[in-house]
């Protein structure tokens, strides 16, 4: 019965799911903040459970904020999954702002539980913690164990607390880059590429067994600055000299909790209830507040009509007052429609058609006074990047358009960012890679191994240029090189137009070079070190919006169930089940999430070569540990 009802409901809903994503812009409004939940006990046996006890009346609150699991850069992927919103970066920042602005809060315990978090996100959360401390609230960081990323986050607090017998495992930075030329050779494949930009390196993961001298110079300079930032950040927070920080990186994981205390890496050792710690600082006249977000939707499993109402419900209400639109652009850049939380290899992508349509809707909506484009992308299609660049520039003629870059805006990611009025970064954001790569994957060896005979026919000049059997001829390679030079000139010209005199010499920042965020501010690729909250605030001011007198709407809205089904059974517009189940799951288990993200970027780029032969892509996604 349930299956019959599902099929019956799915058919008309699928038609509705075909509606353009941009049409949803006017039907989305940020949900109002829920009332605080003041829950606590006078002497909690376990602060993790303390917020689950009966609420008591008190004027003073101590916030308990967990930073755990993967921190998401964007709204939840699915509209029925409220738990994801609790792990979004903006939700964490909103909670920190609530503690800073509400006089009932006297302090904050930041519970760090093995978060999967980028260096860029750490900096944004650190800025939020700094606002809490500036408001006169005492901040404790507490964890059972700290790795490098967790410890960097803890360094934002007034005091670092380690659970008794806990561990600290801070180490120096490590970067792994995958080179697949040997793998392709075993499969009878060969990558044949031409690149524009001496330091671009986009072809190297597929064409070489190791890095070139130019790529080594590029990445080593980037890594040097990231490492210097980390050593300085820990040293400043813990009042340690650089040599002492490096000593801790070498042996922290071998030390006992008491030795860590004596070395100044933590301030206190405590058991889980934190009674002594919080009692010393706050006394006992306070209650815990676990900073709960919106309540999750509760649907009776035995009520199919309620289930269907939830799954097929339309998102949100209409925009009713002046608004700043926060538009997320995450993943590789492709032509066509965006993918959210899915796609061929189980990742998001930025579809030029979807994003351009959304920006056009925002331009026409008079209540949308400013737009912040949040970018986290290694690039992708050169054509799609150009199309989006034009749309951002057109929108900027009507209202302020700011860009906030998350962990990365490289190649095509920076291409689209350069069109905005202002570009915001964190000091550890990766920016640049202004360059182009073009080519194909030669499959002749695979065909021969498999016994496949390919008979080729063509007419006219260059008709056989992108055949799948043989590498480029000398004539074809010269032709491709000229095309790459034209696209590279277009890329640099777009950056010149967008950034103007803020860049003194284009050749100093182009040629595929990569920079940290703070370097990008110095050389003109970016305007200001600041996170997404700062970008929204400044864009609102530019639009003449007073604080507290405007809404922030996140786009795209979460997927409805019909839209999820549409993505599950569509591959490049054809009705073929997408490869998104067993292979991504197995690869994640074997390679780990970081290794899979890097491999996924390369696979996505290789797949784009089937239809687009010129890419502004940095497939060697840097995973910094």
């Amino acid at each position: 019965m349930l299956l019959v009802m599902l099929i019956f409901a799915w058919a008309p809903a699928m038609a509705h799911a075909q509606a353009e994503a941009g049409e949803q812009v006017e039907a989305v409004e940020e949900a109002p903040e829920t009332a605080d939940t003041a829950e606590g006990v006078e002497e909690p046996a376990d602060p993790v459970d303390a917020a689950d006890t009966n609420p008591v009346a008190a004027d003073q609150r101590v916030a308990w904020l967990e930073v755990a699991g993967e921190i998401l850069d964007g709204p939840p992927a699915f509209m029925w999954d409220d738990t994801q919103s609790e792990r979004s970066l903006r939700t964490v920042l909103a909670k920190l702002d609530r503690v800073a602005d509400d006089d009932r809060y006297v302090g904050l315990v930041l519970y760090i539980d093995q978060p999967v978090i980028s260096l860029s996100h750490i900096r944004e959360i650190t800025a939020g913690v700094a606002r809490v401390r500036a408001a006169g609230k005492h901040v404790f960081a507490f964890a059972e164990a700290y790795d490098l990323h967790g410890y960097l986050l803890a360094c934002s607090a007034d005091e670092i607390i380690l659970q008794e017998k806990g561990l600290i495992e801070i180490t120096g930075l490590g970067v792994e880059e995958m080179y697949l030329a040997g793998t392709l050779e075993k499969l009878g494949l060969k990558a044949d590429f031409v690149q524009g930009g001496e330091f671009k390196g986009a072809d190297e993961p597929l064409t070489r067994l190791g890095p070139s001298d130019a790529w080594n110079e590029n990445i080593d300079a980037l890594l040097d600055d990231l490492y210097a930032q980390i050593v300085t950040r820990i040293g400043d927070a813990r009042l340690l000299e650089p040599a002492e920080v490096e000593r801790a990186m070498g042996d922290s994981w071998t030390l006992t909790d008491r030795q860590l205390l004596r070395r100044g890496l933590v301030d206190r050792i405590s058991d889980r209830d934190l009674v002594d710690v919080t009692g010393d600082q706050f006394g006992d006249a306070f209650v815990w507040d676990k900073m709960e977000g919106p309540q999750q939707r509760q649907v009776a499993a035995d009520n199919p009509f309620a289930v269907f109402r939830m799954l097929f419900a339309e998102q949100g209400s209409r925009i009713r007052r002046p608004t700043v639109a926060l538009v997320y652009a995450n993943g590789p850049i492709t032509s066509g429609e965006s993918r959210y939380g899915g796609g061929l290899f189980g990742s998001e992508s930025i579809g030029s058609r979807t994003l351009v349509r959304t920006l056009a809707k925002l331009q026409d909506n008079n209540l949308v006074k400013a737009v912040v484009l949040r970018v986290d992308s290694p690039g992708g299609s050169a054509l799609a990047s150009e199309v989006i660049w034009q749309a951002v520039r057109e929108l900027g003629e009507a209202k302020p358009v700011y860009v906030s870059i998350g962990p990365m805006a490289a190649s095509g990611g920076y291409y689209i960012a350069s069109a905005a009025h202002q570009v915001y970064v964190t000091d550890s954001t990766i920016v640049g890679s202004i360059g182009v790569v073009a080519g194909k994957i030669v499959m002749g060896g695979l065909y021969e191994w498999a016994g496949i005979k390919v008979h080729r026919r063509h007419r006219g000049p260059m008709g056989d240029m992108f055949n799948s059997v043989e590498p480029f001829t000398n004539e074809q390679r010269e032709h491709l090189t000229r095309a790459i030079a034209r696209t590279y000139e277009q890329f640099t010209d777009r950056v010149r137009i967008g950034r103007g005199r803020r860049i003194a010499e284009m050749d100093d920042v182009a040629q595929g070079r990569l920079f940290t965020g703070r370097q990008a501010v110095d050389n003109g690729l970016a305007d200001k070190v600041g996170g997404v909250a700062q970008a929204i605030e400044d864009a609102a001011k530019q639009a003449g919006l007073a604080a507290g007198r405007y809404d922030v709407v996140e786009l795209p809205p979460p997927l409805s169930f019909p839209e999820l089904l549409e993505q599950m059974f569509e591959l490049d517009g054809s009705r073929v089940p997408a490869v998104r189940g067993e292979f991504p799951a197995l690869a994640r288990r074997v390679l780990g999430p970081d290794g899979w993200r890097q491999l996924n970027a390369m696979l996505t780029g290789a797949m784009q070569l089937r239809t687009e032969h010129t890419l502004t892509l940095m497939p060697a996604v840097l995973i910094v540990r």
Side-chain angles (χ1 to χ4, degrees):
M1 178 63 180
L2 184 61
L3 179 59
V4 173
M5 292 178 66
L6 177 60
I7 294 174
F8 180 79
W10 181 63
M14 287 297 288
H16 175 72
Q18 298 294 327
E20 293 185 344
E23 295 175 354
Q24 302 178 50
V25 171
E26 296 182 359
V28 178
E29 184 175 23
E30 189 176 59
E33 185 178 315
T34 58
D36 292 341
T37 304
E39 300 175 316
V41 293
E42 292 184 1
E43 291 188 3
D46 187 339
V48 177
D49 301 323
D52 297 327
T53 62
N54 294 328
V56 298
D59 293 331
Q60 292 191 334
R61 301 180 180 183
V62 174
W64 179 273
L65 178 57
E66 292 188 18
V67 183
E70 183 177 7
I71 304 301
L72 305 176
D73 201 330
F78 310 118
M79 61 186 300
W80 62 86
D81 186 0
D82 289 320
T83 60
Q84 283 195 359
S85 65
E86 289 297 292
R87 295 188 290 114
S88 76
L89 176 64
R90 285 202 70 235
T91 297
V92 174
L93 297 178
K95 290 179 178 180
L96 292 172
D97 284 342
R98 194 195 314 172
V99 177
D101 297 337
D102 192 331
D103 291 338
R104 291 173 296 176
Y105 290 102
V106 295
L108 166 69
V109 174
L110 195 64
Y111 177 47
I112 301 172
D113 185 15
Q114 299 181 325
V116 181
I117 188 171
S118 69
L119 295 175
S120 177
H121 288 165
I122 290 171
R123 293 302 284 164
E124 297 200 53
I125 296 175
T126 294
V129 175
R131 291 192 291 273
V132 174
R133 294 175 64 182
K137 321 295 177 70
H138 196 86
V139 179
F140 289 109
F142 172 70
E144 301 161 3
Y146 294 97
D147 61 8
L148 175 62
H149 288 68
Y151 191 74
L152 286 171
L153 186 55
C155 283
S156 65
D158 291 288
E159 296 184 61
I160 298 178
I161 307 170
L162 179 66
Q163 181 175 309
E164 189 173 4
K165 302 303 181 183
L167 302 172
I168 291 183
E169 296 180 344
I170 57 175
T171 62
L173 294 183
V175 173
E176 293 183 353
E177 302 169 71
M178 292 185 181
Y179 290 86
L180 303 183
T183 303
L184 296 181
E185 183 180 0
K186 291 179 182 296
L187 297 174
L189 305 175
K190 177 180 175 60
D192 196 4
F193 286 95
V194 174
Q195 71 175 31
E198 179 184 357
F199 300 92
K200 179 65 177 175
D203 65 328
E204 294 188 13
L206 297 175
T207 61
R208 298 176 59 95
L209 299 177
S212 65
D213 291 341
W215 183 251
N216 275 337
E217 180 180 340
N218 200 4
I219 297 303
D220 285 343
L222 185 77
L223 198 60
D224 286 344
D225 192 58
L226 289 175
Y227 179 66
Q229 289 182 35
I230 289 171
V231 171
T232 300
R233 198 176 307 164
I234 295 175
D236 289 348
R238 305 305 304 167
L239 302 179
L240 299 174
E241 294 296 326
E244 293 177 292
V245 175
E246 292 190 315
R247 179 188 173 199
M249 289 178 172
D251 66 2
S252 63
W253 59 281
T254 69
L255 303 179
T256 68
D257 53 359
R258 302 298 167 182
Q259 289 173 323
L260 293 168
L261 180 63
R262 287 194 294 270
R263 288 269 289 271
L265 296 176
V266 298
D267 296 290
R268 306 197 196 199
I269 306 298
S270 175
D271 52 19
R272 286 179 62 83
D273 60 21
L274 295 181
V275 169
D276 291 339
V277 172
T278 54
D280 290 347
Q281 183 65 39
F282 307 118
D284 56 5
F286 71 88
V287 293
W288 292 100
D289 185 345
K290 201 176 178 182
M291 307 290 290
E292 296 284 8
Q295 296 297 311
Q296 296 184 33
R297 297 177 176 88
Q298 300 297 324
V299 180
D302 59 351
N303 185 345
F305 295 101
V307 173
F308 285 137
R309 276 198 304 271
M310 179 189 71
L311 294 179
F312 292 97
E314 294 189 20
Q315 169 74 5
S317 58
R318 293 188 180 278
I319 294 174
R320 303 183 186 279
R321 66 172 188 160
T323 293
V324 175
L326 175 59
V327 182
Y328 290 94
N330 295 337
I333 299 171
T334 65
S335 296
E337 303 295 342
S338 297
R339 295 278 178 176
Y340 308 115
L344 178 62
F345 296 110
S347 64
E348 294 180 307
S349 65
I350 305 167
S352 59
R353 190 179 308 152
T354 301
L355 186 52
V356 167
R357 190 166 59 230
T358 298
L359 296 179
K361 289 289 182 180
L362 294 173
Q363 183 173 339
D364 294 339
N365 191 321
N366 292 329
L367 285 177
V368 176
K369 303 300 184 181
V371 176
V372 174
L373 187 64
R374 175 72 170 186
V375 178
D376 180 14
S377 174
S381 163
L383 175 60
S385 300
E386 169 63 20
V387 170
I388 296 171
W389 186 93
Q390 293 182 24
V392 174
R393 289 291 291 185
E394 184 176 343
L395 176 61
E397 294 175 359
K399 55 195 68 177
V401 180
Y402 284 24
V403 161
S404 168
I405 301 177
M408 172 185 290
S411 206
Y414 185 74
Y415 197 132
I416 66 177
S418 69
H421 294 122
Q422 294 281 298
V423 176
Y424 286 59
V425 295
T426 70
D427 52 11
S428 53
T429 294
I430 296 176
V431 181
S433 192
I434 299 173
V436 186
V437 64
K440 63 182 179 179
I441 302 296
V442 179
M443 304 180 67
L446 177 61
Y447 294 155
E448 183 177 353
W449 173 84
I452 299 174
K453 301 298 182 183
V454 178
H455 186 81
R456 291 151 42 202
R457 295 184 175 89
H458 69 277
R459 299 291 186 273
M462 303 298 165
D464 195 41
M465 182 171 180
F466 287 99
N467 75 81
S468 64
V469 181
E470 296 177 344
F472 296 115
T473 65
N474 290 337
E475 181 185 7
Q476 291 169 344
R477 191 174 302 279
E478 291 174 3
H479 181 82
L480 188 62
T481 301
R482 290 195 298 271
I484 284 291
R486 178 186 58 79
T487 304
Y488 177 77
E489 180 59 33
Q490 174 181 294
F491 192 166
T492 54
D493 179 65
R494 292 315 200 190
V495 175
R496 286 190 189 95
I497 293 173
R499 302 300 299 165
R501 295 181 179 178
R502 287 171 285 193
I503 295 178
E505 180 59 50
M506 179 58 63
D507 201 51
D508 291 341
V509 298
Q511 296 290 341
R513 291 181 177 88
L514 289 168
F515 304 96
T516 63
R518 69 177 184 179
Q519 292 172 333
V521 172
D522 291 339
N523 63 33
L525 289 176
D527 297 289
K528 189 172 183 178
V529 172
V532 63
Q534 186 68 58
I536 292 172
E537 181 181 336
D538 290 355
K541 288 180 181 178
Q542 183 65 30
L545 301 176
R549 303 298 297 273
Y550 62 90
D551 290 331
V552 178
V553 172
E554 294 182 301
L555 298 170
L559 289 176
S560 66
F561 186 63
E563 291 165 331
L564 173 63
L565 293 177
E566 185 74 10
Q567 287 200 9
M568 287 178 63
F569 292 98
E570 184 173 3
L571 176 59
D572 295 338
S574 61
R575 299 290 173 178
V576 180
V579 183
R580 44 178 293 127
E582 293 300 324
F583 176 65
L586 177 62
R588 284 177 183 272
R589 286 196 295 269
V590 173
L591 300 174
D594 290 345
W596 165 244
R597 184 184 176 203
Q598 186 176 162
L599 180 61
N600 176 52
M602 285 188 275
L603 292 174
T604 301
M607 293 299 293
Q608 288 190 66
L609 291 173
R610 296 178 305 159
T611 55
E612 300 187 50
H613 303 297
T614 304
L615 304 177
T616 51
L617 179 68
M618 191 184 79
V621 175
L622 298 180
I623 308 300
V624 181
R625 295 187 176 89

